[in-house]
Amino acid sequence: MASATLDVIDHSPHHPDPSPPVPTASNLILIDNYDSFTWNVYQYLVLEGAKVTVFRNDQITLDELVSKNPTQLVVSPGPGHPISDSGISRDAIRHFAGKIPIFGVCMGQQCIFDVYGGEVSSAGEILHGKTSPLAHDAKGVYSGMAQGLPVTRYHSLAGTHVTLPESLEVTSWIPKDDGSKGVIMGVRHKEYTVEGVQFHPESILSADGRVMVKNFLHMRGGTWAENERLQKETQANGVAKSIDEKSSLPIATKKNNILQQIYARRKEAVAAQKQIPSQRPRDLEAAYELNAAPPQISFVDRLRQSPFDISLMAEIKRGSPSKGIFALEIDAPSQAKKYALAGASVISVLTEPDWFKGSIEDLRAVRQVLDSMPNRPAILRKEFIFEEYQILEARLAGADTVLLIVKMLDVDILTRLYKYSVSLGMEPLVEVQNAPEMKTAVELGAKVIGVNNRNLESFEVDLSTTSRLRSLVPKETIICALSGINTHEDVLANHKDGVNAILVGEAIMRAPDAAQFIQQLCAGYTTATQTPKPAPLLVKICGTRTPEAALAAAEAGADLIGMILVPGRKRTVSNEAAIAISKAVHGVSRPAFSTAPTSIPANAATDFFASAPLKLTAPSRNRPLLAGVFQNQSLAEILDLQKRYNLDVVQLHGHEPVEWARAIPVPVLRRFSPGEPGLGARGYHTLPLFDSGSGSGQLLDAVDVKAALARDAELRVILAGGLGPENVANVVKAVGEDGARVLGVDVSSGVEGVDGQQSLERIRDFVKAAKAIR
């Protein structure tokens, strides 16, 4: 035994020399799976320059982990099986993969293997403190390492070759006697910067353990492609710095920060884009001359409208140079809708692709989803703009304003771009960082100036930057604080200093609930989600053929009276009858049957369909509205009959183009059957009328109604088909918790007698039953 001990080699650093701090490993989180080796892992990470915080796997939640904003994640060894004994580890891997580098040790690797669908089972041998020679692919954590190095193994489980997930590749193994690959010792995700090792690099018996840790700590970004790009940039910057240090020429400050790196990349990308047919400058100019740019709103005016004491500019970005990728999974239009309905005055969309992971298509999609929203937020193109082409591109995509950064533009170019943007109807947001830049912005005549609290050279944030520069700005100029605002206390401090608006991005993008975060950030409190009191149910009596029936419906309290103007149907009215019904309806004067519909807020956005009750109610609420029903008739005929019969509402009941609604001068109801495209299209029909069939009398399936409402949280509908006094309450009730978004009911055959004629008694009964619902 004594001789055997002579073969044991201690590879640990007895007198370790710590490496300099690694700037990109300033907030590494280590998950402890209750293993004694966690301390050794921690030691190696710290010695190699990381700032590390340790959390046990059952003493922190995923939301709490996310809020820590880690730069890297390491999952420690541990006893047991990853499925039953790893606590938060697997969920953490799932969340952070693709966002930051991840390294798993022993059980940490088994968690990676399991997360991506592999099977962790018996390794065929039980090892406890044994070393084996390692074969590896010399990439990732093995970069620069020799083959055959001894590594320490403490395990009986391992991922299997047979169940190796498609997304993973084997990076190291213990060779069999014939040289083939034996037990898997390392895996790597093919796309994300995720690596794992089955052995213990932190053990005193493992060679070059610190080299592996060092290699991991210098990985950056959430994907291997991102890592490669950032490593090349770091190398290039190091060479440039070396050259500059040897040069006797003065170095301009603008040459040394991330802003100039992005600027150089964008110039190259824009130059290439301008060569593509359909994206050439003359193509964009032609589109603009043909009025292809969508309508815009005033950036300045919208900033002055806010439900909060200070206006919010909510930003959409998936990453940043200082934080890397942190919200790759978020789609821009969904996030924008949340921002708008939560009270944002402006939505800033990052369109830079390399560092911020955005594109002009994000902006275009945001504009489309907000397009018909009453009091929609202004849309800012947040980009590194240096020529008119980018401003025109933004205008055509739907931007209301653009960002101009004083630091990266000479005064002549800044002035030229400012004037060009204003000529397109877009007052720019002019960004500054110090007093000389503020002087430039003020002399430019900028009406909105943003102060960047982040130093673009060091990435340090100083929230007092904006307040220090506030006194340099004319009182009528809107001043915005950019960067580093995360809490309500930050907001209060800015408001106290006279700041008019704040821009917040990363903090909202990371928030589990964007709307709740905005409420807390801007108002200082969150309110429990409350279901607003439903609006009174609108009742439409359709198939009206006589003035007597119309008056009976009006006296009973109907909100809309419909007559069929489709030729050849059993309920079609003649020209004489239509004129008589119109005269009767327009002559009604009755007491208001319900409270006035909720008005559109003046300082916040609402969904397009939310304003439907206002549009479908007579201004004085003293008479019902008259609706004409059409089916597959020409637009010219619809417009003619609308004018002839003085229709208040047009109902399209066939396959008419959705966009016809914009050509019709009164509110439009449009029939949709379950699953039909266009149901939730905003800016066209005032409300969709959900009907199982064209006058079939067939009752809608509540499942279909609930499914449609579940797919679109802001959708409102009118229900039709198979309704009568006996079942209308049960049909609305069957919709469940979303029943408040059923704004109205429409009946035709359900108020007819056995003779097929309208029954005045059934009309009254239906209106009474429907109005009793709410």
Side-chain angles (χ1 to χ4, degrees):
M1 291 295 293
S3 61
T5 60
L6 298 176
D7 297 327
V8 177
I9 302 174
D10 182 353
H11 295 284
S12 69
H14 290 294
H15 303 284
D17 295 320
S19 299
V22 178
T24 55
S26 60
N27 187 24
L28 185 148
I29 284 182
L30 170 60
I31 296 178
D32 175 17
N33 284 306
Y34 285 83
D35 194 272
S36 59
F37 269 113
T38 301
W39 164 252
N40 303 74
V41 175
Y42 174 87
Q43 179 192 31
Y44 273 29
L45 290 168
V46 172
L47 287 174
E48 284 304 321
K51 185 176 181 181
V52 184
T53 306
V54 183
F55 295 98
R56 284 192 157 169
N57 67 17
D58 60 352
Q59 294 184 8
I60 190 167
T61 67
L62 182 59
D63 286 344
E64 289 170 340
L65 269 181
V66 172
S67 70
K68 301 297 182 184
N69 191 21
T71 53
Q72 289 96 350
L73 177 71
V74 176
V75 182
S76 85
H81 194 280
I83 292 179
S84 56
D85 302 296
S86 65
I88 197 66
S89 300
R90 293 182 301 149
D91 286 342
I93 291 169
R94 290 188 187 98
H95 178 83
F96 289 109
K99 302 179 179 70
I100 60 174
I102 298 175
F103 186 46
V105 179
C106 200
M107 178 182 273
Q109 161 159 299
Q110 294 170 10
C111 289
I112 294 169
F113 208 87
D114 174 78
V115 162
Y116 291 104
E119 179 181 335
V120 176
S121 59
S122 173
E125 53 186 339
I126 299 175
L127 297 120
H128 190 82
K130 302 294 184 180
T131 61
S132 301
L134 186 73
H136 57 79
D137 63 3
K139 301 176 184 177
V141 296
Y142 308 106
S143 180
M145 291 176 56
Q147 296 290 341
L149 291 172
V151 295
T152 311
R153 300 168 64 189
Y154 286 82
H155 68 103
S156 60
L157 303 176
T160 62
H161 285 282
V162 176
T163 66
L164 179 71
E166 177 63 30
S167 58
L168 301 181
E169 59 185 359
V170 175
T171 59
S172 65
W173 57 95
I174 302 302
K176 295 181 179 179
D177 293 339
D178 61 2
S180 61
K181 294 181 179 180
V183 178
I184 295 175
M185 285 289 105
V187 293
R188 179 185 302 123
H189 197 283
K190 293 178 180 177
E191 180 182 359
Y192 303 145
T193 44
V194 176
E195 287 217 46
V197 296
Q198 182 60 65
F199 55 90
H200 290 257
E202 77 282 4
S203 167
I204 63 172
L205 300 181
S206 294
D208 285 353
R210 277 186 63 176
V211 174
M212 299 180 208
V213 171
K214 179 180 180 179
N215 285 339
F216 169 73
L217 290 181
H218 284 81
M219 293 176 186
R220 298 168 63 190
T223 66
W224 294 114
E226 180 80 359
N227 176 66
E228 182 180 4
R229 179 179 66 77
L230 292 171
Q231 299 296 348
K232 288 181 178 178
E233 289 174 1
T234 300
Q235 184 179 11
N237 290 341
V239 172
K241 182 178 179 181
S242 175
I243 293 172
D244 287 340
E245 287 173 348
K246 295 176 182 177
S247 172
S248 60
L249 296 175
I251 304 169
T253 302
K254 288 186 178 181
K255 300 294 184 182
N256 289 328
N257 58 46
I258 188 65
L259 184 61
Q260 292 305 308
Q261 295 178 40
I262 299 173
Y263 177 44
R265 178 70 63 88
R266 295 305 292 145
K267 285 192 72 173
E268 179 181 329
V270 170
Q273 179 181 319
K274 288 162 66 176
Q275 303 303 312
I276 300 173
S278 81
Q279 297 186 52
R280 299 165 297 194
R282 65 175 179 271
D283 296 318
L284 270 58
E285 291 162 4
Y288 185 76
E289 291 300 322
L290 290 169
N291 299 302
Q296 60 196 151
I297 62 175
S298 167
F299 173 48
V300 175
D301 291 347
R302 192 63 181 87
L303 270 175
R304 298 188 190 281
Q305 300 169 357
S306 174
F308 310 114
D309 292 334
I310 192 167
S311 295
L312 173 65
M313 305 169 70
E315 190 158 86
I316 296 172
K317 63 179 180 181
R318 302 181 180 92
S320 71
S322 60
K323 299 297 179 64
I325 298 173
F326 50 76
L328 200 61
E329 74 282 0
I330 288 180
D331 70 273
S334 297
Q335 194 77 352
K337 190 172 183 179
K338 293 175 186 177
Y339 290 174
L341 296 177
S345 298
V346 177
I347 295 179
S348 168
V349 184
L350 258 300
T351 61
E352 192 281 325
D354 295 313
W355 281 268
F356 295 92
K357 305 303 176 187
S359 76
I360 193 69
E361 293 307 316
D362 281 336
L363 190 146
R364 204 182 313 277
V366 166
R367 175 55 193 266
Q368 288 169 349
V369 81
L370 301 184
D371 209 14
S372 299
M373 194 175 275
N375 290 331
R376 71 167 176 85
I379 299 173
L380 163 68
R381 182 183 191 184
K382 190 86 173 289
E383 177 59 275
F384 301 85
I385 289 176
F386 48 84
E387 62 175 77
E388 288 85 349
Y389 175 87
Q390 296 165 287
I391 299 175
L392 181 56
E393 181 186 37
R395 180 70 189 89
L396 288 168
D400 301 294
T401 182
V402 295
L403 176 71
L404 298 178
I405 304 173
V406 174
K407 186 178 291 295
M408 65 176 276
L409 299 170
D410 293 333
V411 174
D412 289 346
I413 296 175
L414 174 66
T415 303
R416 192 184 78 222
L417 295 179
Y418 178 85
K419 290 180 178 179
Y420 180 72
S421 182
V422 170
S423 76
L424 298 184
M426 299 192 295
E427 175 67 33
L429 170 63
V430 179
E431 179 185 310
V432 304
Q433 194 180 14
N434 52 44
E437 291 175 8
M438 180 64 84
K439 183 174 183 292
T440 299
V442 171
E443 291 176 349
L444 184 68
K447 296 179 181 178
V448 185
I449 299 176
V451 179
N452 197 337
N453 293 316
R454 187 183 303 278
N455 186 305
L456 295 176
E457 296 173 9
S458 66
F459 292 136
E460 293 179 355
V461 173
D462 180 359
L463 293 180
S464 65
T465 305
T466 304
S467 59
R468 287 199 304 269
L469 299 180
R470 183 66 179 100
S471 62
L472 304 178
V473 181
K475 188 174 182 180
E476 64 273 13
T477 302
I478 295 176
I479 189 81
C480 310
L482 317 179
S483 294
I485 297 163
N486 298 301
T487 68
H488 184 58
E489 288 67 32
D490 297 336
V491 174
L492 289 176
N494 278 280
H495 182 55
K496 182 180 179 181
D497 291 334
V499 174
N500 306 106
I502 54 169
L503 186 145
V504 185
E506 180 189 346
I508 309 180
M509 292 291 283
R510 289 182 182 273
D513 187 319
Q516 288 274 325
F517 181 87
I518 289 172
Q519 177 89 4
Q520 176 62 46
L521 178 76
C522 297
Y525 61 87
T526 56
T527 55
T529 303
Q530 296 180 349
T531 303
K533 184 179 180 180
L537 198 66
L538 297 173
V539 179
K540 177 172 173 282
I541 304 296
C542 203
T544 305
R545 281 156 274 180
T546 65
E548 293 75 20
L551 291 174
E555 290 168 2
D559 301 282
L560 297 104
I561 294 173
M563 52 185 184
I564 308 300
L565 300 176
V566 184
R569 299 301 175 92
K570 68 177 183 178
R571 299 185 181 94
T572 302
V573 294
S574 65
N575 180 62
E576 294 75 13
I579 292 173
I581 292 170
S582 177
K583 183 178 179 180
V585 171
H586 285 283
V588 169
S589 180
R590 67 185 185 190
F593 274 82
S594 60
T595 57
T598 304
S599 60
I600 298 174
N603 58 5
T606 53
D607 186 78
F608 175 78
F609 290 135
S611 62
L614 279 172
K615 301 172 186 174
L616 297 176
T617 305
S620 59
R621 296 179 290 115
N622 65 345
R623 71 169 180 87
L625 299 184
L626 180 63
V629 180
F630 300 86
Q631 185 177 45
N632 300 327
Q633 291 153 265
S634 70
L635 180 60
E637 181 180 357
I638 293 170
L639 295 175
D640 175 56
L641 295 182
Q642 184 276 323
K643 186 175 182 180
R644 184 188 306 178
Y645 303 134
N646 194 17
L647 300 176
D648 301 302
V649 177
V650 164
Q651 181 173 320
L652 302 178
H653 219 70
H655 300 292
E656 299 85 359
V658 169
E659 62 200 49
W660 276 14
R662 290 186 173 177
I664 296 171
V666 294
V668 171
L669 302 177
R670 191 184 189 285
R671 173 197 165 272
F672 289 90
S673 58
E676 186 176 347
L679 175 71
R682 268 64 168 182
Y684 301 95
H685 40 276
T686 301
L687 270 182
L689 187 142
F690 213 29
D691 192 357
S692 58
S694 178
S696 67
Q698 181 180 348
L699 192 64
L700 268 172
D701 189 336
V703 173
D704 292 330
V705 180
K706 291 164 76 173
L709 295 174
R711 282 192 295 270
D712 186 339
E714 302 299 326
L715 180 66
R716 277 85 162 171
V717 298
I718 292 179
L719 296 185
L723 298 178
E726 306 82 5
N727 68 0
V728 62
N730 289 334
V731 169
V732 175
K733 183 179 179 181
V735 178
E737 60 184 14
D738 289 324
R741 291 192 280 136
V742 174
L743 297 190
V745 289
D746 185 348
V747 66
S748 182
S749 61
V751 293
E752 293 175 349
V754 293
D755 58 356
Q757 299 301 309
Q758 281 185 308
S759 163
L760 303 190
E761 182 180 357
R762 287 187 66 79
I763 288 174
R764 296 185 187 102
D765 289 345
F766 183 85
V767 175
K768 182 179 180 180
K771 289 295 184 180
I773 298 171
R774 61 172 193 263

